[in-house]
Amino acid sequence: MAGFNGLGMHMGSISRLSDARTRSVSAENRTGGKGMGGMATEGTGKEAAGGLGVGWKISPSLYVGPGETVTLAEIEGPGALQHIWATVTHHWRFCILRIYWDGQSEPSVECPIGDFFACGWNRYAQVSSLPVCVNPGSAFNCYWEMPFRKGCKVTATNISDERITVFYQIDYALTEVGEDRAYFHARFGRVNPLPYGDVYTILDGVEGKGQYVGTYMAWGVNSCGWWGEGEVKFYMDGDAEFPTICGTGTEDYFCGSYNFDVGKQNGGYREFTTPYAGLPQVIRPDGLYDSQTRFGMYRWHIADPIRFERDLRVTVQALGWTKKGKYAPLRDDIASVAYWYQTLPHRPFPKLPDRDFLEVI
């Protein structure tokens, strides 16, 4: 992305001067105010700090009680979020991240935090991509550029029965935002199991102009054999029965080939993580409680955004093989996050499933 107005930079423009003002929100500076970091006298680190006093990591994190929503950041614009770092204790599917733009009552981002950061199975996997990095031991990072004009609000909701601890830092720039900048969106979905013969819908109901920029999927296989023959399809701008973009297979869409399989002698499925696509997680059966094979994979359309003028729908088939060499529709456990930019307002998202359905079992 070209570096101008103080927004997204690249190596060719990092030396360019800008009038943008850099700010950061964390538990040590809840407002992001200039010269207001490290002033806390109460917080989760107070006991550990002992008599060291103000400025010695008194408030490095926030507690979020069962059923509680906390505001991580509330920022007046114009500007753009540039980096989010977070680490969250306990069940990642039970911490819901929401982001609201320009006073909208409906969130433009609504996802369990693990899935948003491409770790949907509540287990660490190294992710080394351009917009999302997950690093040891549970460090979530994203670099999606998220412009806003009037302001933004970022919240975390704990839907578990236990108190959770959230460490976070949100880095942003206060700067003018050009008219051609759209708003970042991310939406979670899950079906378990997918009914026989149905296609899985990654995204639907998008109205407006924008570009689709990424897909994360947590795919749990409920049968033996290869599971990824299904085509990923993009229906845009009035497409009805047939899409404008039709891929050739699930592993092909995620920039792999031939089942992500390098042969049993080499370990079978091969994890990989690259700037634009990856299969960073393969959970293999262990003969006991990990009885199913589970996959986590991402595809970022940064170099090849899928642009739409009026509407967009994205689907994938769950398709394997029978022993007779015929396609077999599958009944798998599939969850996904769709990432895109569009104009506001957007249509309200479908209601998130309840906690019992969200849970990774």
Side-chain angles (χ1 to χ4, degrees):
M1 291 176 286
F4 62 95
N5 290 340
L7 296 183
M9 308 294 283
H10 55 73
M11 290 301 290
S13 65
I14 195 66
S15 63
R16 184 177 180 182
L17 294 176
S18 168
D19 291 329
R21 291 166 290 153
T22 298
R23 297 289 185 265
S24 181
V25 172
S26 70
E28 288 281 18
N29 187 350
R30 298 289 299 277
T31 68
K34 183 180 182 301
M36 297 184 66
M39 297 173 62
T41 58
E42 300 289 334
T44 59
K46 182 178 181 180
E47 184 175 342
L52 292 174
V54 173
W56 287 90
K57 205 170 180 177
I58 303 295
S59 181
S61 59
L62 299 179
Y63 293 135
V64 188
E68 184 181 0
T69 295
V70 299
T71 297
L72 302 180
E74 194 156 13
I75 303 165
E76 292 186 5
L81 305 188
Q82 296 179 309
H83 171 238
I84 300 173
W85 166 85
T87 185
V88 179
T89 59
H90 304 307
H91 203 303
W92 297 339
R93 272 272 170 91
F94 292 167
C95 179
I96 309 302
L97 177 71
R98 293 183 175 92
I99 305 178
Y100 304 78
W101 306 124
D102 290 1
Q104 296 283 306
S105 60
E106 295 290 333
S108 291
V109 173
E110 186 175 52
C111 294
I113 197 163
D115 296 81
F116 180 79
F117 289 96
C119 275
W121 292 113
N122 204 41
R123 300 188 191 186
Y124 165 77
Q126 179 70 46
V127 178
S128 302
S129 75
L130 283 178
V132 176
C133 298
V134 181
N135 304 319
S138 58
F140 298 143
N141 295 269
C142 91
Y143 297 90
W144 292 112
E145 185 177 275
M146 304 183 192
F148 52 90
R149 291 174 173 84
K150 298 178 183 178
C152 81
K153 182 177 179 180
V154 183
T155 69
T157 300
N158 176 13
I159 63 172
S160 77
D161 291 328
E162 302 176 65
R163 186 182 74 179
I164 65 174
T165 305
V166 178
F167 295 81
Y168 72 100
Q169 184 166 337
I170 301 172
D171 304 315
Y172 60 98
L174 296 175
T175 186
E176 293 302 313
V177 175
E179 293 183 2
D180 61 345
R181 296 290 178 131
Y183 293 88
F184 180 80
H185 290 68
R187 193 176 96 187
F188 173 83
R190 188 190 192 191
V191 176
N192 182 27
L194 185 69
Y196 181 83
D198 280 8
V199 298
Y200 179 81
T201 299
I202 297 170
L203 182 63
D204 198 4
V206 173
E207 295 178 351
K209 181 177 182 177
Q211 54 261 17
Y212 188 86
V213 294
T215 308
Y216 168 73
M217 300 197 78
W219 195 303
V221 178
N222 290 332
S223 58
C224 295
W226 171 236
W227 49 274
E229 284 301 315
E231 296 171 335
V232 179
K233 300 179 180 180
F234 291 83
Y235 301 79
M236 61 185 70
D237 300 334
D239 289 344
E241 182 178 359
F242 299 105
T244 295
I245 298 175
C246 183
T248 60
T250 307
E251 84 274 46
D252 308 335
Y253 170 73
F254 289 99
C255 298
S257 70
Y258 289 106
N259 315 354
F260 306 116
D261 180 7
V262 292
K264 285 188 177 181
Q265 71 276 14
N266 294 315
Y269 291 115
R270 176 62 55 85
E271 296 92 332
F272 68 98
T273 177
T274 75
Y276 299 117
L279 178 78
Q281 191 163 44
V282 180
I283 300 174
R284 295 168 172 83
D286 65 357
L288 190 60
Y289 298 121
D290 278 339
S291 61
Q292 308 301 113
T293 310
R294 293 170 167 176
F295 302 87
M297 47 199 170
Y298 64 88
R299 168 77 155 89
W300 309 135
H301 296 273
I302 295 174
D304 57 341
I306 295 173
R307 303 189 186 278
F308 55 93
E309 293 289 329
R310 294 186 289 118
D311 54 74
L312 181 69
R313 176 165 58 100
V314 187
T315 66
V316 61
Q317 299 159 329
L319 202 61
W321 291 98
T322 69
K323 291 183 179 180
K324 296 182 178 180
K326 301 293 185 181
Y327 291 139
L330 303 177
R331 303 178 180 91
D332 287 344
D333 174 4
I334 305 175
S336 63
V337 180
Y339 307 78
W340 75 101
Y341 290 88
Q342 71 159 91
T343 52
L344 289 179
H346 69 267
R347 287 181 58 180
F349 295 168
K351 185 177 179 180
L352 274 182
D354 63 25
R355 185 182 70 183
D356 290 344
F357 187 79
L358 284 175
E359 185 171 4
V360 175
I361 299 174

